[in-house]
Amino acid sequence: MSRKVIITVAPTGSIPTRKDNPNLPITAEEVAQETKRAYEAGACVVHLHARNPDTGEPTSDLEVFRAYLDAVRDACPIITQITTGGGATTLGLKAEDRLRPVEELQPDSASLNAGSMNFGRKLFPNTPDMMEAYAKRMKELGVMPEFEAYDLSMVQNVDYWIRRAGILDPPYQFSFVMGVMGGIPPTFKNLLALKESLPEGYTWQAIGIGRHQIPMGTMGVLLGGNLRVGFEDNVYLSKGVLAKSNAELVEKAARIIRELGLELATTEEARETLPLLNTA
Ligand code: ZN
């Protein structure tokens, strides 16, 4: 049986604006429609940030997050993931405020950033205390943490602070985020090193920023991983050509996966593959 590849879509993020791409979805309805189209094109996980519907600015407003999740859940049966990191750099949120939407809304999964770093010119604080507290709470809630590793050292952080401490039993899901200024550069050698640092049985995806989205994603797929596409990380379909929608980026990824002789996972297959904790 050939391996099934999981595509995650990150439709809006917290950094791009409509100046970068006028097709960026902002309201709950827009995000839900983009997610539905991405789902129909082959995505089975959606990674969500929230934005103020009037200004487009990133927001931590619980009711905006709630509206997004409600609209997405109504639109399609995609696996839902919300950020716990976006508000740290863009809004300067405190640790407990970053976790609040996860506690209140209980998505299938949430990002859990695996170490502190400089994110561009800003400090992105993710201390061992925060990692431990988030992992404990997500386990209690049955929400799968996706460990976001922006560098090789962050894989070690998860091993040391989470696995050895016995806070959460492996296997874990990882994202390798490559190409943020302050994080690991997006090269094939670096992705190979990240992949080889994980024990057998873990699931992972490659996230390349900007023009590295498709090259890193494709290499991730060739190495046995999954990939993420979407406007959060990249707004271009190809050099100088803005993507009309997130679905267009998902279609491109799906086309490459199929040309490589692999199949796309359905949402049901992804639910069986990912170490999801939801028992509901
Ligand atoms: Zn994000």
Side-chain angles (χ1 to χ4, degrees):
M1 192 188 82
S2 71
R3 191 172 69 85
K4 304 279 179 79
V5 180
I6 296 168
I7 300 179
T8 294
V9 64
T12 190
S14 57
I15 293 172
T17 68
R18 286 217 168 133
K19 284 194 184 114
D20 301 311
N21 186 327
N23 304 310
L24 183 82
I26 286 174
T27 67
E29 202 42 50
E30 288 165 357
V31 167
Q33 285 311 309
E34 280 284 281
T35 301
K36 182 167 190 263
R37 284 194 287 270
Y39 169 79
E40 286 165 355
C44 38
V45 182
V46 64
H47 169 87
L48 294 168
H49 290 240
R51 289 175 183 264
N52 179 319
D54 300 321
T55 64
E57 296 289 316
T59 178
S60 61
D61 189 321
L62 182 62
E63 293 317 311
V64 178
F65 267 109
R66 192 189 306 280
Y68 274 43
L69 258 155
D70 286 350
V72 165
R73 283 168 170 157
D74 281 349
C76 61
I78 199 164
I79 294 168
T80 54
Q81 177 182 85
I82 59 182
T83 182
T84 62
T89 50
T90 51
L91 303 166
L93 290 188
K94 291 207 278 295
E96 55 271 28
D97 296 331
R98 288 165 54 184
L99 191 61
R100 199 155 155 255
V102 178
E103 296 186 297
E104 297 288 332
L105 305 173
Q106 303 203 10
D108 296 304
S109 173
S111 59
L112 202 168
N113 297 281
S116 302
M117 63 185 289
N118 295 324
F119 197 108
R121 299 187 73 90
K122 299 213 169 129
L123 177 64
F124 188 23
N126 299 287
T127 63
D129 284 353
M130 289 166 62
M131 290 177 59
E132 288 168 7
Y134 284 16
K136 278 184 188 153
R137 195 73 186 107
M138 288 185 203
K139 186 182 177 187
E140 286 166 8
L141 294 166
V143 171
M144 177 187 85
E146 179 177 277
F147 291 103
E148 315 290 35
Y150 294 80
D151 217 328
L152 201 50
S153 58
M154 297 196 189
V155 179
Q156 283 353 82
N157 287 346
V158 175
D159 186 56
Y160 192 83
W161 301 111
I162 307 297
R163 186 189 69 78
R164 284 189 220 189
I167 289 171
L168 188 72
D169 293 330
Y172 305 134
Q173 157 74 0
F174 268 84
S175 280
F176 299 138
V177 188
M178 308 185 72
V180 170
M181 188 61 224
I184 198 166
T187 70
F188 291 159
K189 274 188 180 172
N190 286 344
L191 182 55
L192 185 61
L194 284 161
K195 184 258 177 190
E196 298 213 317
S197 71
L198 290 188
E200 277 295 304
Y202 283 29
T203 55
W204 60 278
Q205 67 178 352
I207 301 176
I209 302 301
R211 67 192 161 84
H212 305 289
Q213 182 165 80
I214 291 294
M216 288 298 114
T218 304
M219 173 141 176
V221 168
L222 288 169
L223 288 173
N226 300 301
L227 82 170
R228 181 171 105 179
V229 294
F231 288 172
E232 172 166 347
D233 310 314
N234 162 49
V235 296
Y236 287 93
L237 182 64
S238 57
K239 189 173 167 67
V241 181
L242 291 172
K244 291 192 188 71
S245 67
N246 281 276
E248 220 177 23
L249 295 169
V250 174
E251 281 162 12
K252 179 169 176 173
R255 221 160 39 232
I256 292 167
I257 290 163
R258 292 196 180 102
E259 290 291 346
L260 293 170
L262 298 168
E263 291 177 54
L264 301 185
T266 63
T267 300
E268 296 72 36
E269 288 162 343
R271 281 191 183 277
E272 285 170 22
T273 308
L274 294 170
L276 287 169
L277 301 173
N278 261 340
T279 47

